[in-house]
Amino acid sequence: MFTLTSKTKTTTIPPVTGITILELAKQHDLQWLYNCSRGTCCRCRCLVSEGQELLSELNDKEYQRLMDDEIEEGYRLACQATIRQPGTLIVTNKTYF
């Protein structure tokens, strides 16, 4: 199961693959903060506390925008992190703003 926590609520969702965390949040009407969906604004920044291995590898946009310590802690950009396989995924929207 996937558990997503936005600024206003937490929801548990059956596993879905091939879409980004942001797309999944939008499909389930979560108020996930974002501005651009291209990896430039960083408003969709999120903490993946479980299931990092289920996601695509970090890409250049994430390496350019996230600090090394954020990456080590498990932060991703929800618009860039694609869900590759089912499993247990726990993600919290942790925008800078």
Side-chain angles (χ1 to χ4, degrees):
M1 294 303 282
F2 295 166
T3 302
L4 301 181
T5 301
S6 69
K7 291 294 180 185
T8 58
K9 72 178 183 178
T10 297
T11 190
T12 301
I13 303 164
V16 176
T17 59
I19 63 174
T20 65
I21 293 170
L22 179 59
E23 290 169 328
L24 184 63
K26 288 168 49 178
Q27 285 180 2
H28 291 275
D29 297 320
L30 290 171
Q31 291 181 330
W32 207 273
L33 300 177
Y34 72 98
N35 228 14
C36 71
S37 300
R38 294 183 315 274
T40 56
C41 76
C42 295
R43 288 189 63 119
C44 67
R45 178 179 166 253
C46 59
L47 178 61
V48 180
S49 54
E50 190 171 340
Q52 194 72 255
E53 71 280 359
L54 306 177
L55 303 173
S56 58
E57 296 292 321
L58 279 97
N59 64 26
D60 289 342
K61 291 177 182 181
E62 291 176 291
Y63 280 118
Q64 291 169 358
R65 308 267 176 328
L66 297 171
M67 307 280 282
D68 290 340
D69 60 333
E70 291 175 307
I71 292 170
E72 287 177 27
E73 289 176 40
Y75 283 92
R76 297 290 304 265
L77 297 180
C79 70
Q80 300 299 303
T82 300
I83 303 162
R84 295 289 179 204
Q85 57 187 340
T88 300
L89 181 65
I90 300 172
V91 183
T92 304
N93 187 205
K94 295 271 190 172
T95 187
Y96 291 113
F97 312 102

